[in-house]
Amino acid sequence: MAFRIIRASPPHWSKHTLKQSPIATREILSGELSGLQIGIGRYARRAYGFDEVALVPGGVTLNPDEVDITFSMGERFKLDLPFWASAMDGVVDVEFAIAMGKLGGVAVLNLDGVHTRYEDSRPVIERIAAADKSTLNAVLKESYREPVKPKLIAERIKQIKDAGVACAVSSVPAKAEERAEIAQKAGADVFVVQGTVLTARHSSRSYHQLSFDELVRACDIPVVVGNCVHYETALELMETGIAGILVGVGPGAACTTRGVLGVGVPQVTATADVAAARDEHMRRGGMRVAVITDGGMRIGADVCKAFASGADAVMIGTPFAGAEESASKGFNWGMATPDPNLPRGTRVHVGTRATLKEILLGPARVDDGSQNFAGALRSALGVCGARDIAEFQHVEMVIAPSITSEGKALQQAQHVGMGKS
């Protein structure tokens, strides 16, 4: 059984890796030093995504079979693989969650999705997958109009737990308090509170504001919150007692938040900033909060760069939508896609590409990095001389915007390997 409850060793105290200068907030860092001038008196900091950086090999290399890529969160929750499947209806249903758990990772079930609205969600998933582009938004809105049923929340969690694997579930902030109680009683192992952007402080006159301090105190299981891309915001969230934090606003293949709202930070910079907040939180005496990079990873190289940027785990959606075990068999749409007022996502077609085992553990049947993510991570640790993920977070990184094109003209011309679109 891949998932197990254990007594974890003391926290690994480490300094974040990217050889950054001491953290300075916007208030104490002058505009001239904070970035490039984009207009008179207006400055912007340069941020980096996965395609713009590369990892530098270490002075010592290690056997990839002997490195440690396990994941721990808090004192009791441990996974053999640091991979989470995103709480997207096109990816995670009960069967997928069980398959993911048996392979060593964990899949997050969306408690606001169709799987907790319908006794049999398969026809609904099939209808969304079959809809043409002109009717898709209407089909999505109609599918999500059915109310969530508390009885189905408990049933779905029990089905996953009866298979002997970890069960993680996700709720929107507005429903988190009531659903956390149901989830705990049903036996869930992790409770995720997920919104497009979350902060520890939120102002509204029209509805009750969720208190993360109170939610954490009410939960006997780890609470993970997201999404966040900002140092100060992450630090404030960590001080509420959460066990993990999701990093990423709009990087996913199906998400259009960056296009609709113009909001987001490239994932390498976002992960590094939140990881720096984690290390500062530990320096102040807090427990290590798991940093989970959420979205934007297509291939093994992206996954490796996320960990090198400071992630303790990664949450992946679209690549898993291409697994034979996925709920939709090759489609994906974001959690905010069915929003009746302002959809922030779309449906993307991935196609069925491999089994979940091949995507996670290999052996890879293709040459484009889309399979055997765990093998890629192990090999990267070995090449960089890191014995575990905590050490890997200290590897040297370089800015390298041509890293995927340098010397690859023939691959690009022949559409093989790194030349595949």
Side-chain angles (χ1 to χ4, degrees):
M1 183 171 65
F3 159 75
R4 55 192 183 277
I5 296 292
I6 65 164
R7 190 74 181 175
S9 57
H12 181 95
W13 297 80
S14 64
K15 184 179 183 300
H16 185 57
T17 113
L18 300 183
K19 301 188 177 180
Q20 61 205 41
S21 58
I23 293 299
T25 65
R26 192 173 297 141
E27 288 71 27
I28 63 175
L29 186 63
S30 66
E32 288 79 3
L33 297 178
S34 65
L36 302 173
Q37 186 174 23
I38 59 173
I40 297 175
R42 192 73 162 127
Y43 294 83
R45 184 164 61 108
R46 181 71 167 90
Y48 298 93
F50 295 125
D51 291 339
E52 299 170 289
V53 301
L55 313 182
V56 178
V60 176
T61 56
L62 303 175
N63 181 349
D65 293 333
E66 297 176 4
V67 302
D68 180 8
I69 62 169
T70 58
F71 169 80
S72 297
M73 184 170 64
E75 295 184 342
R76 297 185 299 163
F77 188 78
K78 184 178 178 66
L79 298 171
D80 289 343
L81 298 177
F83 293 97
W84 295 49
S86 182
M88 295 178 172
D89 287 352
V91 179
V92 179
D93 58 8
V94 169
E95 289 74 21
F96 184 94
I98 292 171
M100 184 82 176
K102 288 183 176 179
L103 290 172
V106 65
V108 184
L109 184 71
N110 180 13
L111 298 186
D112 298 284
V114 297
H115 306 300
T116 55
R117 296 173 189 261
Y118 300 89
E119 289 281 354
D120 184 1
S121 59
R122 283 174 295 181
V124 182
I125 295 291
E126 291 171 358
R127 187 162 61 249
I128 295 171
D132 58 44
K133 294 179 181 179
S134 63
T135 62
L136 175 60
N137 284 337
V139 171
L140 282 165
K141 290 178 182 179
E142 180 62 31
S143 300
Y144 286 83
R145 194 164 283 135
E146 182 76 13
V148 171
K149 300 174 178 61
K151 175 177 71 78
L152 287 180
I153 292 177
E155 286 182 9
R156 300 296 184 241
I157 293 171
K158 185 176 185 302
Q159 288 172 323
I160 296 170
K161 291 302 297 177
D162 284 349
V165 301
C167 177
V169 294
S170 171
S171 172
V172 295
K175 300 291 185 179
E177 291 170 316
E178 61 185 83
R179 289 178 184 160
E181 184 177 358
I182 299 171
Q184 283 193 103
K185 289 181 179 179
D189 299 293
V190 178
F191 189 73
V192 181
V193 183
Q194 193 166 10
T196 301
V197 178
L198 277 193
T199 60
R201 290 170 290 135
H202 177 72
S203 177
S204 174
R205 296 180 180 178
S206 60
Y207 52 81
H208 169 67
Q209 162 61 12
L210 172 66
S211 168
F212 290 111
D213 301 79
E214 294 176 5
L215 180 65
V216 169
R217 286 195 296 269
C219 286
D220 295 326
I221 59 177
V223 175
V224 176
V225 306
N227 283 36
C228 177
V229 292
H230 187 250
Y231 172 83
E232 284 91 351
T233 302
L235 189 57
E236 192 168 6
L237 283 166
M238 291 174 186
E239 290 170 351
T240 67
I242 60 173
I245 189 166
L246 301 176
V247 181
V249 173
C255 187
T256 61
T257 295
R258 293 178 178 179
V260 175
L261 303 184
V263 174
V265 176
Q267 283 291 66
V268 167
T269 295
T271 300
D273 286 354
V274 174
R278 172 199 61 208
D279 295 343
E280 173 63 16
H281 177 65
M282 292 172 61
R283 188 190 67 79
R284 297 179 182 182
M287 293 297 294
R288 186 181 182 91
V289 176
V291 173
I292 305 169
T293 300
D294 176 16
M297 289 154 285
R298 307 153 298 156
I299 55 177
D302 300 337
V303 168
C304 296
K305 293 173 189 179
F307 283 101
S309 300
D312 299 298
V314 293
M315 177 176 279
I316 297 172
T318 297
F320 289 153
E324 293 178 5
E325 296 88 343
S326 74
S328 67
K329 304 296 187 290
F331 288 86
N332 193 22
W333 52 95
M335 296 169 69
T337 305
D339 189 303
N341 297 314
L342 187 64
R344 293 179 304 285
T346 187
R347 183 198 62 187
V348 295
H349 180 227
V350 182
T352 302
R353 300 179 175 180
T355 66
L356 181 58
K357 182 178 180 181
E358 288 171 330
I359 295 171
L360 273 177
L361 299 173
R365 294 186 287 109
V366 294
D367 56 8
D368 59 3
S370 64
Q371 296 176 14
N372 198 358
F373 286 171
L377 180 59
R378 286 184 175 278
S379 294
L381 263 69
V383 168
C384 294
R387 290 170 297 179
D388 55 27
I389 289 173
E391 287 191 2
F392 193 54
Q393 293 167 351
H394 292 260
V395 302
E396 183 180 357
M397 301 178 74
V398 294
I399 299 168
S402 61
I403 192 68
T404 59
S405 59
E406 183 181 24
K408 302 298 185 290
L410 290 178
Q411 292 187 30
Q412 293 170 347
Q414 298 172 31
H415 301 290
V416 296
M418 293 169 66
K420 292 180 180 177
S421 57

